[in-house]
């Protein structure tokens, strides 16, 4: 298996974890400024990791 594909899979999994954590924080928020900042930070990072991981897996060619 290619190292880029493994790294892409890792980024995708980290992105999914970040998005799930964002949903968890969003559902348990009290509306404080700190809660909103953490929702935005984890959401943006999770979305970025997820998209970059998917893109890396898709664009990596399988070479023997």
């Amino acid at each position: 298996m290619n190292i880029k594909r493994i790294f892409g899979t890792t980024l995708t999994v980290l992105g999914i974890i970040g998005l799930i954590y964002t949903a968890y924080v969003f559902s348990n928020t009290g509306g404080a400024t700190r809660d909103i900042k953490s929702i935005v930070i984890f959401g943006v990072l999770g979305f970025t990791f997820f998209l970059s991981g998917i893109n890396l897996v898709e664009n990596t060619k399988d070479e023997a």
Side-chain angles (χ1 to χ4, degrees):
M1 191 175 222
N2 198 348
I3 236 32
K4 286 183 183 179
R5 199 171 281 269
I6 293 171
F7 187 63
T9 305
T10 304
L11 281 176
T12 304
V13 169
L14 286 174
I16 291 170
I17 291 170
L19 291 173
I20 290 172
Y21 185 70
T22 302
Y24 174 75
V25 171
F26 180 74
S27 66
N28 293 326
T29 187
T33 305
R34 192 178 81 194
D35 293 335
I36 294 170
K37 284 181 183 179
S38 66
I39 288 171
V40 170
I41 290 170
F42 286 119
V44 168
L45 282 177
F47 189 69
T48 304
F49 281 9
F50 181 74
L51 285 183
S52 63
I54 291 293
N55 199 11
L56 192 61
V57 168
E58 283 181 356
N59 291 333
T60 303
K61 297 178 186 175
D62 285 331
E63 297 178 4

